[in-house]
Amino acid sequence: TKLKSLEKKVQHSEIDMDKSYEELPDEDYWKIRNIIIAEHPSFKEVAPSPPYEYDTKEEKIMTTIQSLLHRHLIQDLSIVAKILIIILWIGAFAAPWFLEMYQSILNRFGY
């Protein structure tokens, strides 16, 4: 609820949130930090920037900023790898049928 409100405020400020914390430029960090200070009751006594100085609550602010950043799953499998996984899944489901068929062939020949 409070986090959703913060997220909307940050989105309206047109800061690109589709990145990891490590990729976040310093300028965007300080802009998001000022929004959090203005909107979040836990950080009301923290001085906004500039001056660009860290506060004793900076670690909590940093954690809040990290939770606001969007995380996107990266599909990094190639087409060949995806096909291989599908074949493995089909093989796993078909294995009991193949084993039963193999056993019946062995039984016919007396093994």
Side-chain angles (χ1 to χ4, degrees), residues 34-72:
N34 283 341
I35 293 169
I36 290 172
I37 290 169
E39 298 296 323
H40 203 289
S42 300
F43 305 119
K44 288 288 185 190
E45 70 279 356
V46 176
S49 57
Y52 301 101
E53 296 173 353
Y54 294 120
D55 190 85
T56 56
K57 292 189 173 187
E58 203 65 40
E59 192 169 327
K60 290 180 182 177
I61 293 171
M62 180 183 71
T63 304
T64 305
I65 291 174
Q66 287 174 334
S67 65
L68 289 172
L69 295 173
H70 299 159
R71 310 252 187 270
H72 293 287

